[in-house]
C-alpha cells in the first residue's frame, strides 16, 4: 500500500456525479424481472445521460476490447494532485502507455475466444510473465500548476471525469516504467485479498475536487471492510512497505499484534504517535457557493466524443457504428432516436451512420 494507482482502460468515464453511480451500475447489470442482461436498460440510461457519450464512443470502438491486457494503456482517469516540500501544488493526470503496442480484438473474435476460454486475458498475462515476457508500460504525467487552473481559462471543467485534458496544452511527460515481473505465489492471498484504494496516499500525493474521486475515497475501503475484513490493510499483500502509525485497533482476525502495549488513543501523554503537520496538503483556493449542482447543466457532452470519432479512420468508424447498431437494434425506437441525436451532435456522420444501420 504505497500509492494505489489502479489504471483503467479509458482516460474518462461514463458518469461524473457519484450520486448516479448506483443507477449507472444497475443499468449495466441484469434486468430485475428476467435476470437477463438488458440493452434497453443500458441505452435508456446512456441516452438520458449524454455525459456518457465520450466513453461509449471509446468502448464500442476498436479500443473497447484489447487483444491482451499487455496491449492496452492504463489511465488514472481522474485529476489527482502532487505537492512538494516547498508547497508548490500541481494537478496531474497519470497515463500508463503500453510498450507492447496497442492491439485490439474484434467483437467476433472476442465472442469466439470468450466462448472457448473466458479466462483468456488472465491466462495470457499469467503465461507471458511465467515465460519471462514481462509486459512494461511507460508512466507519463500531464502536469498543471494549481495556480494556472485558478486562471479559469479552460473550456472544460478540469475535474470532470468525462473529459480529457488537451495533450497539446499539457503534453505527456515520461516519469518511469511499470513492469509486471512476477506472478502471484498464491492467487487468493495476493489477488483476491488485494485491496486497492485511491485514498492510499503517500506524502506529497493528493486527490482533487473531482466528485467521483471523492466518492471513491470512501467507497473502496468501505467495500474492502466487508470483502476482505476490517483489518485488510494489515495483510501482507496490502500493508505499507514503510512504517505507518495509526490508532486503528481490534476487529476481526487482528493478527499483527494489535499495536502491542502502545497507547490506543491520541492525544496521550505516553509517547504515542503524533500528527505531523509537515505532511499536510497545501490549502486550495475555492470560490463560489457550495450547493447541489445539476451536473447536466453543462451541455458540451459532444466536442470530445466527436473529436474521438474524427480521430478514427473510415474503417474504424464503420466498426464502431456496426458495434453500436448490433447493441441498440432491439431497443425501443424512442431510445434509439434519442441516442442518435447525441451521436449527431458529436458528429453528423456518426449519427447518420447509426441511423442508416438501423434503417431509420
Ligand atoms: C463513484 C464512483 C465509484 C464508486 C463508488 C466505485 C466503487 C468501487 C468499489 C466499491 C469497488 C470494489 C473495491 C474492492 O472490493 O476492492 C470498485 C472496483 C473497481 N473500480 Fe470503482 N468505483 C467508482 C468509480 C470508478 C472509476 C471512475 C474507475 C476508473 C477510473 C473505477 C475503477 C475500478 C476498478 C479498476 C476496480 C477493480 C479493482 C480491483 O480489482 O482491485 N471505479 N469500484
Amino acid at each position: 500500500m504505497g500509492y494505489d494507482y489502479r489504471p483503467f482502460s479509458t482516460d474518462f468515464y461514463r458518469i461524473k456525479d457519484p450520486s448516479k453511480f448506483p443507477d449507472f451500475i444497475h443499468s449495466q447489470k441484469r434486468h430485475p424481472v428476467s435476470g437477463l442482461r438488458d440493452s434497453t436498460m443500458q441505452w435508456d440510461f446512456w441516452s438520458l445521460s449524454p455525459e456518457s457519450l465520450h466513453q461509449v464512443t471509446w468502448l464500442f470502438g476498436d479500443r473497447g476490447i484489447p487483444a491482451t491486457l499487455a496491449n492496452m494503456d492504463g489511465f488514472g482517469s481522474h485529476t489527482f494532485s502532487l505537492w512538494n516540500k516547498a508547497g508548490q501544488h500541481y494537478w496531474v493526470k497519470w497515463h500508463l502507455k503500453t510498450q507492447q503496442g496497442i492491439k485490439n480484438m474484434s467483437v467476433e473474435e472476442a465472442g469466439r475466444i470468450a466462448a472457448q476460454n473466458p479466462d483468456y486475458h488472465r491466462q495470457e498475462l499469467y503465461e507471458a510473465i511465467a515465460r519471462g515476457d514481462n509486459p512494461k508500460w511507460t508512466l507519463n504525467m500531464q502536469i498543471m500548476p494549481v495556480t494556472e487552473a485558478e486562471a479559469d481559462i479552460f473550456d472544460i471543467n478540469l475535474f470532470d471525469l468525462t473529459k480529457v485534458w488537451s495533450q497539446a496544452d499539457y503534453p505527456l511527460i515520461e516519469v518511469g516504467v511499470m513492469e509486471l515481473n512476477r506472478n502471484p505465489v498464491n492467487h487468493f492471498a495476493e489477488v483476491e485479498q488485494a485491496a486497492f484504494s485511491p485514498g492510499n496516499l503517500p506524502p506529497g500525493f493528493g486527490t482533487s475536487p473531482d466528485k467521483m474521486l471523492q466518492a471513491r475515497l470512501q467507497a473502496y475501503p468501505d467495500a474492502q471492510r466487508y470483502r476482505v475484513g476490517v483489518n485488510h490493510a494489515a495483510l501482507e499483500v496490502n500493508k505499507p512497505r514503510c512504517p505507518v502509525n495509526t490508532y486503528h485497533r481490534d476487529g476481526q482476525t487482528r493478527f499483527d499484534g494489535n499495536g502491542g502495549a502502545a497507547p490506543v488513543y491520541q492525544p496521550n501523554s505516553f509517547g504515542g504517535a503524533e500528527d505531523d503537520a509537515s505532511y499536510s496538503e497545501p490549502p486550495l483556493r475555492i470560490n463560489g457557493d457550495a450547493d447541489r449542482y445539476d451536473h447536466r447543466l453543462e451541455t458540451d457532452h459532444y466536442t470530445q466524443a466527436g473529436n474521438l470519432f474524427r480521430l478514427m479512420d473510415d474503417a474504424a468508424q464503420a466498426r464502431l457504428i456496426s458495434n453500436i447498431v448490433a447493441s441498440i437494434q432491439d431497443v425501443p425506437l424512442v431510445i434509439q432516436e434519442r441516442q442518435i441525436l447525441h451521436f449527431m451532435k458529436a458528429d453528423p456522420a456518426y449519427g447518420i451512420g447509426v441511423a442508416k444501420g438501423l434503417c431509420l
Side-chain angles (χ1 to χ4, degrees), residues 6 8 13 18 21 77 161 196 212 215-216 219-220 223-224 227:
R6 15 153 36 125
F8 203 59
Y13 205 69
F21 188 73
S77 312
L161 186 55
F196 296 95
M212 292 284 283
R216 295 180 73 196
Y220 288 64
Q224 288 148 3
R227 181 173 67 77

